[in-house]
Amino acid sequence: MKTIFSPLHAGHGGQMELVSGQIVPGFEKPSRAEFIKARVESEKLGPILAPKEHSLDAAKRVHASDYIDFLPTVWPEWQNAGFPGSAMAFTWPTRGLRGDVPPKRIDALLGYYSFDAGATFVKGTWDAIKSSYDVGLTAAELVKAGERAAFALCRPPGHHAGAAFMGGYCFINNAAVVAQWYRDQGAARVAILDVDYHHGNGTQEIFYERDDVLMINLHGDPMTEYPFFLGHADERGAGKGEGFNHNYPMQPGTAWDKWSAALEDACAKVAAYAPDVVVVSLGVDTFEKDPISQFKLKSSDYPRMGERIAKLGLPTLFVMEGGYAVEEIGINAVGVLTGFDNA
């Protein structure tokens, strides 16, 4: 399996985030991608290729144009304003406030285009965002050209980014971008299978009223787990999309027996949908040692996950999302990929 990777991800490093009343170093750090890359190499998964440059047209097929245009301006505007530290929002247009008038100050605009203070900027953040987007599309092209599967080692991740908002370490929704790109390239149907511990709220929001992209999430129950405000089992899609969105919220402490039963049901739904391609939002923060998650999957479970996805017999694109136990992230992420390859 070929891996697409860009060293530009490292420019998004040293950023801070707001967590439980504290400004702390971001859990989403450059070492995550480096551990995965090292494991790809040591396991001889396949060649590691650089991404091709792409215009932002594909991003604007799933995101609002003004939102995408805003992202490259954040750090320059933050510096121009003379603010210190990471560029971070401090106010949001919640219920009862005006959400239709973009303010002019950069710290307020960050709130206008976000839902939390987890997607923050430093000098190299935009270059990392753009390279992650290029990684996703380059890997998508490989599968479109006939590869059985490819791995987009995207960093920063994407599945919390909605049509016009960032959050949860995510800026451009790489999985949504490539799903739409496949549709634009002629795929009749695309399935997105999100196995990250945290619900892919941004991807759900983008495709919620559509029947040409099946959206399936396996995740922590939003009653107690981030991102809290989406991901319930009764969210089934709307309009044309009714019945094409499926959520599997699970309780803290969930181990392989219950988690794999949800995966089995999800894969049955994918098979019944008969998509032309499957996009896997690959988060491995389901791991028992993950510092910000509550599931109990073990490293030995991840190859079994890959094996089950491989049984679908469909062209598959793996897009990297979360996973914050950095010393094991390579073992677990690449375990999924080798399980798929060896099935």
Side-chain angles (χ1 to χ4, degrees), residues 47 54 60 79 94 98 109 129 138 142 189 229 237-238 253 258 289 321 337 339 343:
H54 295 81
K60 292 181 179 181
Q79 286 193 304
T94 189
R98 290 289 296 273
L109 269 172
I129 294 168
T138 303
L142 291 176
R189 291 177 301 280
F229 302 108
K258 292 184 178 178
K289 296 180 184 179
E321 302 286 3
L337 305 177

Coordinates of all heavy atoms in Angstrom, one line a residue, residues 47 54 60 79 94 98 109 129 138 142 189 229 237-238 253 258 289 321 337 339 343:
P47 N 5.8 2.1 -0.6 CA 6.6 3.4 -0.8 C 5.8 4.5 -0.2 O 4.6 4.6 -0.1 CB 6.6 3.5 -2.3 CG 5.5 2.6 -2.8 CD 5.4 1.5 -1.9
H54 N -2.4 20.9 -5.4 CA -3.8 21.0 -5.9 C -4.3 22.4 -5.6 O -4.0 23.0 -4.6 CB -4.7 19.9 -5.2 CG -4.3 18.5 -5.5 ND1 -3.3 17.9 -4.9 CD2 -4.8 17.6 -6.4 CE1 -3.2 16.6 -5.4 NE2 -4.1 16.5 -6.3
K60 N -13.5 23.8 -1.9 CA -14.7 24.7 -2.0 C -15.9 23.9 -2.5 O -17.0 24.5 -2.5 CB -14.4 25.9 -2.8 CG -13.3 26.8 -2.2 CD -13.0 28.1 -3.0 CE -12.1 29.0 -2.3 NZ -11.7 30.2 -3.0
Q79 N -0.8 38.4 13.6 CA 0.5 39.1 13.9 C 0.2 40.6 13.7 O 0.7 41.4 14.5 CB 1.5 38.6 12.9 CG 2.1 37.3 13.2 CD 3.4 37.0 12.4 OE1 3.4 37.1 11.2 NE2 4.5 36.8 13.1
T94 N -23.2 32.1 19.7 CA -24.1 31.0 20.1 C -25.5 31.4 19.9 O -25.9 32.5 19.4 CB -23.8 30.6 21.6 OG1 -24.5 29.4 21.9 CG2 -24.2 31.7 22.5
R98 N -26.0 37.1 16.9 CA -26.0 37.3 15.4 C -24.9 36.4 14.9 O -23.7 36.6 15.2 CB -25.7 38.7 15.0 CG -26.9 39.7 15.2 CD -28.0 39.4 14.3 NE -27.7 39.7 12.9 CZ -27.8 40.9 12.3 NH1 -28.1 41.9 13.0 NH2 -27.5 41.0 11.0
L109 N -13.2 36.8 14.5 CA -13.4 36.0 13.3 C -13.1 34.5 13.5 O -13.8 33.6 13.0 CB -12.6 36.5 12.1 CG -13.2 37.6 11.2 CD1 -12.1 38.2 10.3 CD2 -14.4 37.1 10.5
I129 N -2.0 22.7 6.9 CA -3.4 22.5 6.4 C -3.4 22.2 4.9 O -4.0 21.2 4.5 CB -4.3 23.7 6.7 CG1 -4.4 23.9 8.2 CG2 -5.6 23.5 6.1 CD1 -5.0 25.2 8.6
T138 N -4.0 13.5 -3.3 CA -3.0 12.7 -4.1 C -3.3 11.2 -3.8 O -3.2 10.4 -4.7 CB -1.6 13.1 -3.6 OG1 -1.4 14.5 -3.9 CG2 -0.5 12.3 -4.4
L142 N -4.6 8.0 -6.5 CA -4.0 6.6 -6.6 C -5.1 5.5 -6.6 O -5.0 4.6 -7.5 CB -3.1 6.3 -5.4 CG -1.7 7.1 -5.4 CD1 -1.0 6.8 -4.1 CD2 -0.9 6.8 -6.6
R189 N -21.7 6.4 -5.9 CA -21.9 6.5 -4.5 C -20.6 6.3 -3.8 O -19.7 5.6 -4.2 CB -22.8 5.3 -4.0 CG -24.3 5.5 -4.5 CD -25.1 4.3 -4.1 NE -24.6 3.0 -4.6 CZ -24.8 2.6 -5.9 NH1 -25.6 3.4 -6.7 NH2 -24.3 1.5 -6.3
F229 N -22.2 17.8 20.8 CA -23.5 18.3 20.3 C -23.9 17.7 18.9 O -24.7 18.3 18.2 CB -23.3 19.9 20.1 CG -23.1 20.5 21.4 CD1 -21.8 21.1 21.7 CD2 -24.0 20.6 22.4 CE1 -21.5 21.6 22.9 CE2 -23.8 21.2 23.7 CZ -22.5 21.7 23.9
G237 N -30.0 11.5 9.1 CA -30.0 12.2 7.9 C -31.3 13.0 7.7 O -32.3 12.7 8.5
A238 N -31.4 13.9 6.8 CA -32.6 14.7 6.5 C -32.8 14.8 5.0 O -31.9 14.8 4.2 CB -32.4 16.1 7.2
G253 N -15.2 2.7 28.3 CA -14.8 1.3 28.6 C -15.1 0.3 27.6 O -14.8 -0.9 27.7
K258 N -17.6 -5.4 22.0 CA -18.8 -4.5 21.6 C -18.4 -3.6 20.4 O -19.3 -3.4 19.6 CB -19.2 -3.7 22.8 CG -19.8 -4.5 23.9 CD -20.3 -3.6 25.0 CE -21.0 -4.4 26.1 NZ -21.5 -3.6 27.3
K289 N -4.8 3.2 25.9 CA -3.9 4.2 26.6 C -4.0 5.6 26.0 O -3.2 6.5 26.4 CB -2.4 3.7 26.4 CG -2.1 2.4 27.0 CD -0.7 2.0 26.8 CE -0.3 0.6 27.4 NZ 1.1 0.2 27.1
E321 N -6.9 10.5 10.9 CA -7.6 11.4 11.8 C -6.9 11.5 13.1 O -5.7 11.9 13.2 CB -9.0 11.0 11.9 CG -9.8 10.9 10.6 CD -10.2 12.3 10.0 OE1 -9.8 13.3 10.5 OE2 -10.8 12.3 8.9
L337 N -3.6 -1.0 8.6 CA -3.3 -1.0 7.2 C -2.7 -2.4 6.8 O -3.0 -2.9 5.7 CB -2.3 0.1 6.9 CG -2.7 1.5 7.2 CD1 -1.6 2.5 7.0 CD2 -4.0 1.9 6.5
G339 N -3.3 -5.2 8.4 CA -4.4 -6.1 8.5 C -5.2 -6.1 7.2 O -5.6 -7.2 6.7
A343 N -5.3 -9.3 4.3 CA -6.5 -10.0 4.3 C -6.8 -10.7 3.0 O -6.3 -10.2 1.9 CB -7.7 -9.1 4.6

